[in-house]
Amino acid sequence: MENKSYRVLVVDDHQVMRKGVRALLESDSTWEVCGEAENGRLAVEKTRELSPDLVILDLTMPEMNGLEAARQIRLVSPQTKIVIFSMHESPQVRKEARDAGADAFVSKSSMAEMLTATAKDLLK
């Protein structure tokens, strides 16, 4: 992954969370945040428009939740990797995320430690 940067779309209905994820990613030259969205419907539109390498997608959002957005992103951009993140952490939620097409799940409580490592593993 040397000298390559990956384009990332950050999706969460809370602006503070989007800004935090952006700051975390932009502290590492591996990542270029190419866009943000505040709901699943916009996530699908922006994925179609921006063709990111990775979408970091909140599970619980208005208009369209992360699971449905993941399903639709899979259809419009099959090569895009999807990480769903949520404060809801259970085997059931992880299974639903995988079934919806997510490549990985990261708990918001461990996001600072796990997000970039998980994303790098997906994009190797």
Side-chain angles (χ1 to χ4, degrees):
M1 289 181 51
E2 54 280 358
N3 297 328
K4 174 158 178 48
S5 74
Y6 294 94
R7 295 166 40 81
V8 183
L9 174 64
V10 178
V11 185
D12 194 292
D13 55 322
H14 294 99
Q15 183 180 18
V16 170
M17 184 58 81
R18 289 194 313 271
K19 299 301 180 202
V21 171
R22 178 185 277 271
L24 177 67
L25 293 170
E26 289 180 342
S27 68
D28 180 335
S29 63
T30 303
W31 312 109
E32 172 200 343
V33 177
C34 63
E36 295 181 18
E38 63 267 11
N39 62 57
R41 184 183 52 76
L42 288 173
V44 175
E45 289 175 17
K46 289 195 175 202
T47 298
R48 186 180 289 120
E49 172 189 325
L50 300 171
S51 299
D53 299 300
L54 174 68
V55 176
I56 299 173
L57 192 57
D58 185 20
L59 179 66
T60 308
M61 294 179 292
E63 293 193 41
M64 181 188 296
N65 70 34
L67 298 175
E68 183 56 33
R71 287 183 194 97
Q72 292 192 25
I73 288 167
R74 246 325 130 241
L75 295 174
V76 301
S77 185
Q79 74 284 358
T80 297
K81 299 295 184 185
I82 302 170
V83 173
I84 288 185
F85 69 115
S86 177
M87 62 184 181
H88 306 288
E89 184 178 6
S90 72
Q92 178 65 27
V93 170
R94 289 176 180 274
K95 180 184 182 322
E96 288 175 6
R98 291 272 184 195
D99 290 350
D103 296 290
F105 178 92
V106 174
S107 166
K108 285 186 177 180
S109 62
S110 63
M111 193 169 66
E113 305 84 35
M114 297 299 301
L115 183 62
T116 57
T118 299
K120 284 180 181 179
D121 283 347
L122 290 177
L123 294 166
K124 280 184 189 172

